[in-house]
Amino acid sequence: MDLIKVSQEPIDVNKLTDWLSQLPQDGAIVTFMGKVRSIEKYTISLFLEHYAGMTEKVLVNIIAQARERWQLSRVAIIHRVGKINVNEQIVFVGVSSAHRADSFAATEFIMDILKNEAPFWKKERTTDGDIWVDAKKSDADALKKWY
């Protein structure tokens, strides 16, 4: 049971947590919520673009990889696109399973793979103007522990 959504709508964390919590055999629910932050230059907002259809296929594949490694019940990946202001949520990953080790590992894995493989392009609006955000070396380095 997977929930994948890419949209401009705000993320309803409570609704997603309720969905993850519905199965009585699951003793562990782990969630990650990322938000737009302001660092170095004063960030006003991000604008995210994606390739509709392709992005969702990549997210389906990421969940499939996680399911091959761990015993998971429910998995949710929600990612926003469009204009997202500082301090607003940009991504939500949630995993339910019988045991916490599987949920923790799968959530970290999903985020690490998502940051490297999902086709999202970010433009940062700062007080100094707009700039496209490059991939971070630290995100690429995070993949090393999984492959």
Side-chain angles (χ1 to χ4, degrees):
M1 293 195 265
D2 302 329
L3 179 61
I4 295 171
K5 185 176 180 183
V6 178
S7 79
Q8 294 184 21
E9 297 175 25
I11 298 171
D12 187 338
V13 174
N14 292 329
K15 184 177 179 181
L16 292 165
T17 303
D18 287 346
W19 180 78
L20 289 165
S21 302
Q22 290 177 357
L23 301 178
Q25 71 269 22
D26 289 342
I29 297 165
V30 173
T31 63
F32 171 83
M33 181 183 64
K35 64 178 194 159
V36 177
R37 61 188 171 138
S38 183
I39 54 173
E40 294 180 22
K41 297 180 183 183
Y42 181 70
T43 302
I44 299 166
S45 63
L46 288 180
F47 187 84
L48 269 77
E49 295 181 4
H50 79 293
Y51 191 104
M54 185 170 118
T55 302
E56 291 81 359
K57 286 180 183 178
V58 170
L59 299 179
V60 166
N61 184 50
I62 291 169
I63 292 174
Q65 290 178 62
R67 288 190 176 284
E68 288 175 7
R69 293 170 179 248
W70 299 282
Q71 295 293 314
L72 309 176
S73 295
R74 291 190 168 185
V75 180
I77 300 177
I78 312 300
H79 208 297
R80 291 185 61 196
V81 292
K83 182 183 176 190
I84 308 166
N85 293 316
V86 166
N87 216 32
E88 289 183 342
Q89 300 157 355
I90 190 171
V91 64
F92 176 94
V93 172
V95 174
S96 72
S97 67
H99 304 287
R100 70 180 181 270
D102 287 347
S103 288
F104 275 115
T107 301
E108 184 177 15
F109 173 84
I110 289 168
M111 274 308 304
D112 286 345
I113 304 303
L114 186 150
K115 290 286 287 181
N116 285 279
E117 294 183 6
F120 292 102
W121 298 275
K122 297 177 187 177
K123 185 188 297 185
E124 183 178 19
R125 171 158 284 162
T126 73
T127 54
D128 294 337
D130 294 352
I131 54 170
W132 287 101
V133 178
D134 292 326
K136 295 179 184 173
K137 182 181 181 318
S138 59
D139 291 334
D141 290 343
L143 287 180
K144 294 175 185 173
K145 68 180 163 231
W146 303 115
Y147 297 110

